[in-house]
Amino acid sequence: MELRHNQAPPEIMHIDLNSAFAMTEQQANPLLRGKPVGVTNRLNDYAICITASYEARALGINIGTRAREAKQLAADFVMIESDPAKYQYIHRLMREIFESYSPVAYMKSVDEGIIDFRGMQPILKGRPLEDIALEIKERFRTEIGDYMTINIGIAQNRWLAKVAASFHKPDGLTTIDKDNILAVMGMLQLTDLPYIATRMKLRLNYAGIYTPFEFYHTPEPILTKRVFKSINGHHWYLKLRGYETEVQYGIKTVGRSYVLEYRTSNPVEVAALLYKSAAKVARRLKVNDLSARGLMLYLGYTQTKGAERSRRGWFERKMYNTPVHRADQIYSRALDLYSRSHQDRVVSSLYMTAYELTPTQQSQLFLWDSVDAKLNRAEDAMNALNDRYGEETITAAKVLASKNQMKDKIPFGSIRYFQ
């Protein structure tokens, strides 16, 4: 028997800041408003858009468009180097607004969040969520910036609320409930649904599912046994019908990735970059009181003519016996991994990730404490100074010789590092 669509009222609100990073730059600089704007992580000869304003998108400039290609499409196109401090500031203001409406409110990424109004009826006193959504839109304009617009979706679970927030961009407001769900599904393509990319679409097509409407009406046993061949089929069956299936997980890995502005095969330069990465990873571990046993290092190589595809990159990982959290400890392990790489190749990108995370055991410092404990406290003091006066105010001497600044990038994905 087919499960009825969730009969509960839609009380989950998904809020998405429109073209967040480009719009933030336009808010900060009024001269950019109304112009095609792109944001890139590295403003150099290799710069590509990681996000684009709506004006740029209307001209065919999207994620992945190179700066020189964008200039050909629009002579007045402006490429801006990303400024994570701005976006994290906006993120904090967004979170403060969300949390003022419900005790169950949180950010899903740097530019989107959830407000759960379930159980809030006595406080709302019959006030429609659409009215609250309009109030939140106005608060964005008055408390964050007059150029800032958001899309809001309201539904019975987080996934459908995200679907609803994708309509009528920019500045849209849509509610999905038991009465209009079939009409909504009839308006969409499979790849319009969150988490349905090309490969998932092909999997659904192979099972004879070509539209969201057909996806919605596919029996649960077919989704579980034929399409997904796992419990994921059951989760999709519930998700489509407005039942909650998403779970908040803790941090599983902590990593940093960089595309080098100055590519190099010099081991001394690579070592400096490894230390910078180790210091970034250590700070994220520290913020969350975590240590890591495992470390993975990936090096992307500059491709030369005729080079084998398998040599475009190299990676190594290792699980160590003890968990660590300090920069010098992570750096030592990174050097151990780097010693096994192709050191004659030119490095163009670097990615370091710590995994197998466990809570850090902190202890008070006494005169008879170990050297290790004193080094922990020394790093805490160094981090506090860098927090106050800026990144790398105090750092290892080897870092000063590096030409690659390795600035922070836009924190896509999980934002638990700075919550």
Side-chain angles (χ1 to χ4, degrees), residues 190 202-211 214-215 218 226-227:
L190 282 174
L202 292 175
R203 174 182 284 193
L204 291 167
N205 290 168
Y206 184 75
I209 301 169
Y210 296 95
T211 67
E214 293 172 341
F215 193 13
T218 302
R226 259 180 58 190
V227 181

Side-chain angles (χ1 to χ4, degrees), residues 340-353:
R340 310 172 197 181
S341 69
H342 308 289
Q343 297 188 28
D344 59 328
R345 302 296 304 277
V346 177
V347 177
S348 60
S349 60
L350 180 153
Y351 178 58
M352 180 186 296
T353 184

Side-chain angles (χ1 to χ4, degrees), residues 378-397:
E379 181 167 276
D380 290 345
M382 185 172 71
N383 286 338
L385 288 169
N386 287 331
D387 286 339
R388 182 168 182 177
Y389 297 107
E391 283 296 318
E392 298 181 3
T393 298
I394 297 180
T395 188

Side-chain angles (χ1 to χ4, degrees), residues 56-336:
R57 296 179 192 183
L59 299 171
I61 302 169
N62 294 294
I63 296 173
T65 304
R66 293 192 177 277
R68 59 177 177 270
E69 297 169 353
K71 278 289 187 182
Q72 293 173 354
L73 293 169
D76 60 342
F77 173 77
V78 181
M79 184 74 94
I80 304 291
E81 184 163 332
S82 62
D83 186 355
K86 279 196 194 91
Y87 316 139
Q88 292 184 20
Y89 172 73
I90 298 297
H91 164 90
R92 193 182 77 243
L93 295 179
M94 289 178 66
R95 193 175 72 234
E96 290 174 357
I97 290 175
F98 296 170
E99 291 175 349
S100 70
Y101 285 94
S102 171
V104 185
Y106 58 91
M107 300 297 293
K108 287 179 67 70
S109 69
V110 71
D111 62 336
E112 61 180 346
I114 294 288
I115 306 178
D116 188 341
F117 287 95
R118 288 176 295 188
M120 299 284 292
Q121 291 84 355
I123 297 175
L124 297 178
K125 297 179 180 179
R127 190 181 181 195
L129 288 194
E130 286 81 1
D131 285 358
I132 295 176
L134 293 173
E135 178 180 280
I136 292 173
K137 284 174 175 285
E138 183 59 29
R139 287 186 63 181
F140 264 71
R141 286 187 283 268
T142 57
E143 298 177 27
I144 299 181
D146 60 342
Y147 201 73
M148 309 298 276
T149 63
I150 55 176
N151 260 56
I152 299 181
I154 303 170
Q156 293 143 318
N157 64 16
R158 285 174 277 188
W159 183 79
L160 280 175
K162 185 175 178 67
V163 173
S166 68
F167 281 90
H168 311 302
K169 287 190 173 184
D171 205 22
L173 169 57
T174 302
T175 298
I176 296 177
D177 58 20
K178 60 184 177 59
D179 297 322
N180 68 355
I181 181 64
L182 295 182
V184 168
M185 289 297 163
M187 297 167 58
L188 300 172
Q189 303 294 320
L190 282 174
T191 50
D192 293 330
L193 301 178
Y195 320 132
I196 301 292
T198 301
R199 291 182 63 182
M200 184 68 75
K201 174 189 172 184
L202 292 175
R203 174 182 284 193
L204 291 167
N205 290 168
Y206 184 75
I209 301 169
Y210 296 95
T211 67
F213 191 85
E214 293 172 341
F215 193 13
Y216 184 91
H217 284 293
T218 302
E220 191 269 347
I222 292 179
L223 291 177
T224 302
K225 297 177 182 178
R226 259 180 58 190
V227 181
F228 296 95
K229 299 179 181 179
S230 71
I231 192 65
N232 286 336
H234 177 66
H235 290 164
W236 273 105
Y237 185 78
L238 295 176
K239 194 181 316 220
L240 287 158
R241 283 160 178 72
Y243 297 94
E244 192 60 77
T245 62
E246 294 187 19
V247 178
Q248 292 293 104
Y249 295 100
I251 298 174
K252 300 297 182 183
T253 63
V254 171
R256 292 299 296 163
S257 63
Y258 300 98
V259 175
L260 276 57
E261 185 171 1
Y262 300 99
R263 301 175 180 188
T264 182
S265 60
N266 184 345
V268 175
E269 172 72 4
V270 174
L273 301 178
L274 290 176
Y275 186 87
K276 285 187 176 184
S277 299
K280 297 282 189 180
V281 170
R283 292 192 72 178
R284 287 184 166 181
L285 289 172
K286 173 63 180 176
V287 166
N288 294 279
D289 291 323
L290 295 171
S291 296
R293 284 183 57 209
L295 190 69
M296 189 277 282
L297 178 65
Y298 170 85
L299 300 178
Y301 295 131
T302 298
Q303 185 70 4
T304 57
K305 189 174 182 179
E308 296 178 7
R309 181 180 179 85
S310 61
R311 299 196 68 193
R312 290 185 181 180
W314 166 93
F315 83 94
E316 185 72 57
R317 62 185 177 187
K318 182 177 179 180
M319 184 76 72
Y320 293 86
N321 292 329
T322 57
V324 297
H325 61 274
R326 288 201 320 267
D328 62 306
Q329 297 169 319
I330 297 169
Y331 172 61
S332 176
R333 293 182 176 182
L335 286 178
D336 174 46

